[in-house]
Amino acid sequence: MAHKYRLQPSDVQLPVLGMHCAHARAVWNVALEQANLYRKHWGPTPNAAMRQRQLAEARKESWLGEGSSSVQQQALRDFDQALKNWWAGTHGRPTWRTKERNNSFRVRDVSVRKINRRWAELLVPKLGMVRFRLSRPLPAEYGMATISMDRAGRWHVSFTAPQPTFERTRTGETVGIDVGVAHTLTLSTGEHLDMPALLTPGEAQRKVRLQRQLARQRKGSERRERTKRAIARLSAKEADRRNDWIEQTTTTLVRTFDRITIEDLQIKNMVRSAAGTVEKPGANVAQKRGLNRSIHRQAWAKWRTRLEQKAAAATEECQVIAVNPRGTSQRCACCGHTEPDNRESQAVFVCRACGHRANADVNAANNLNAAGHAVAGRGGRHGSPDEASTTRAA
Ligand SMILES: [Zn+2]
């Protein structure tokens, strides 16, 4: 849960913000390089404490020394967390940070002062107070502050505030949710939740035009920079609309259902997903079709995180269970008969044994709901890796 505000640094402050971003990036990239080059026979992997010591050494003898140690240490902690998330399979592999895409740094010890109704200021290491506009009330508690520059050159500060309690009452309803091709999400209730087009037709056309223009423009030219900023503004719009959809759908689901079973889509499988596989459903298709145009992997990871956060903060229990989706697309939700031929087409499921006929995604969602039921019945903990890996948010 983040509270985001537009930061208004003065011209004098800009270079220092830029320096912090560059340092955070450098520290991250060095740690990434170290992790990539690392070979097992060297002994135990350098742990977080060792890396912090290495950073302290590096600060003594390099340009990092003139920057803020707290900013740099935080970048290293963020990298360690990213590495853990990757190992846990909830996030993709940490990637190289570039000047084009990654201009941000984090401040752990947040100090904010309200100036008046419209303005507040934040203490930034090596810089002092930087103003930001109070476009919304300040959070009751501050987690960390992330200071970032978007691709349109605008600076923001966002505070990760603890998730407020989520008001809900028990409904006795459960649901399985299938991630699909024709529909972004299909519920076992038969409902579909589709992520809307993120740009209007006009905006989409404009984006294509701008991208063509960009390809023709000379690198480093002022015009090219303008085009880049225009594209970035459209991308920011897309991201805002995607986030709105994620917030709306996760809120509705946590409010409506006592138990939500989702596919435990391993990012690794999603990346490997081949475009052709969605056309012919077969073995493993449930994993492979995870990555499609309607919900790509970052959006899925974020959607799942928000669902779990809201469920965990619910006033009355809402359980989120993630199960291995293997076989869910071929199994009959009525009689349990499982065979690849049960799929008449991508859209239609017809059971060869009992004749049960259903929308293929709804059938899969029903199987997920049943799998969640089985896991919950065993106490909602980890099942065999084959059957289910669970995260229990309650
Ligand atoms: Zn059947």
Side-chain angles (χ1 to χ4, degrees):
M1 196 56 187
H3 293 250
K4 198 170 185 181
Y5 307 87
R6 182 81 178 266
L7 203 62
Q8 301 280 352
S10 67
D11 288 348
V12 199
Q13 292 175 325
L14 283 173
V16 182
L17 291 178
M19 174 188 78
H20 286 335
C21 291
H23 287 172
R25 228 169 19 234
V27 167
W28 173 286
N29 286 341
V30 168
L32 176 67
E33 203 168 46
Q34 196 184 43
N36 285 345
L37 287 174
Y38 184 77
R39 295 293 172 269
K40 270 215 177 83
H41 66 265
W42 294 352
T45 42
N47 60 23
M50 281 163 73
R51 284 214 202 88
Q52 291 287 358
R53 274 201 303 278
Q54 287 168 351
L55 174 59
E57 285 301 311
R59 282 178 52 78
K60 279 185 208 151
E61 49 203 49
S62 76
W63 57 292
L64 286 174
E66 68 193 58
S68 150
S69 65
S70 72
V71 164
Q72 294 163 18
Q73 282 166 5
Q74 188 52 44
L76 203 47
R77 278 192 289 267
D78 290 342
F79 177 79
D80 284 322
Q81 187 56 48
L83 210 54
K84 281 186 199 146
N85 292 346
W86 176 45
W87 291 334
T90 54
H91 291 69
R93 189 190 183 107
T95 53
W96 191 259
R97 301 220 150 157
T98 67
K99 202 178 166 193
E100 277 65 46
R101 280 181 298 131
N102 309 99
N103 283 291
S104 71
F105 62 94
R106 300 221 292 165
V107 176
R108 186 142 88 153
D109 299 311
V110 174
S111 169
V112 169
R113 199 172 66 90
K114 200 168 162 178
I115 301 173
N116 54 39
R117 264 177 47 233
R118 293 178 55 202
W119 293 92
E121 52 187 11
L122 166 79
L123 183 65
V124 175
K126 298 255 169 190
L127 191 54
M129 292 309 222
V130 183
R131 285 178 157 223
F132 62 94
R133 251 193 110 90
L134 287 173
S135 45
R136 51 189 294 184
L138 283 164
E141 283 174 69
Y142 305 102
M144 250 181 273
T146 302
I147 293 152
S148 60
M149 186 184 79
D150 64 20
R151 282 185 289 179
R154 298 169 302 189
W155 287 87
H156 303 272
V157 56
S158 68
F159 302 101
T160 43
Q163 167 72 35
T165 33
F166 188 100
E167 289 295 331
R168 80 177 295 275
T169 47
R170 278 183 166 279
T171 58
E173 302 289 326
T174 66
V175 74
I177 302 175
D178 179 79
V179 180
V181 178
H183 297 282
T184 315
L185 303 172
T186 297
L187 311 192
S188 52
T189 55
E191 229 179 308
H192 301 292
L193 300 176
D194 290 306
M195 195 185 287
L198 297 173
L199 293 178
T200 64
E203 288 165 341
Q205 263 175 15
R206 187 170 136 74
K207 193 171 180 186
V208 171
R209 212 174 50 235
L210 285 166
Q211 275 161 341
R212 280 203 204 113
Q213 206 171 308
L214 185 74
R216 284 194 309 264
Q217 283 166 332
R218 195 165 43 81
K219 278 208 173 129
S221 70
E222 179 49 39
R223 283 177 164 203
R224 189 182 158 91
E225 289 308 309
R226 267 207 302 277
T227 310
K228 267 191 186 171
R229 279 196 294 274
I231 294 174
R233 276 194 295 275
L234 286 171
S235 303
K237 235 178 223 180
E238 279 182 285
D240 285 351
R241 287 170 191 165
R242 187 182 301 117
N243 287 339
D244 282 349
W245 183 82
I246 289 174
E247 291 304 321
Q248 278 165 20
T249 51
T250 51
T251 291
T252 307
L253 288 165
V254 171
R255 194 149 283 152
T256 316
F257 299 101
D258 290 354
R259 191 180 65 232
I260 301 165
T261 306
I262 57 172
E263 298 174 65
D264 192 7
L265 295 173
Q266 291 291 318
I267 304 284
K268 283 173 265 180
N269 296 336
M270 294 172 78
V271 174
R272 248 182 250 130
S273 155
T277 53
V278 296
E279 305 304 333
K280 39 177 177 81
N284 289 330
V285 74
Q287 281 109 313
K288 285 179 186 160
R289 72 197 158 143
L291 183 71
N292 62 65
R293 275 191 216 96
S294 43
I295 188 160
H296 61 74
R297 62 197 178 110
Q298 284 99 338
W300 168 255
K302 185 153 197 191
W303 185 86
R304 179 174 168 174
T305 303
R306 291 300 290 139
L307 185 76
E308 288 175 340
Q309 284 171 342
K310 287 176 187 175
T315 46
E316 286 187 34
E317 192 187 38
C318 172
Q319 214 180 343
V320 176
I321 296 180
V323 299
N324 188 325
R326 195 158 74 184
T328 45
S329 62
Q330 301 167 20
R331 184 186 156 88
C332 171
C334 261
C335 72
H337 177 68
T338 305
E339 76 167 89
D341 286 349
N342 279 350
R343 294 291 290 268
E344 196 174 86
S345 66
Q346 179 59 36
V348 181
F349 182 96
V350 181
C351 177
R352 297 269 160 178
C354 76
H356 172 62
R357 194 182 170 88
N359 171 289
D361 294 336
V362 175
N363 180 72
N366 271 300
N367 283 325
L368 289 164
N369 192 24
H373 187 67
V375 172
R378 288 199 312 272
R381 286 290 151 197
H382 284 260
S384 71
D386 248 9
E387 193 177 8
S389 71
T390 73
T391 46
R392 190 164 175 281

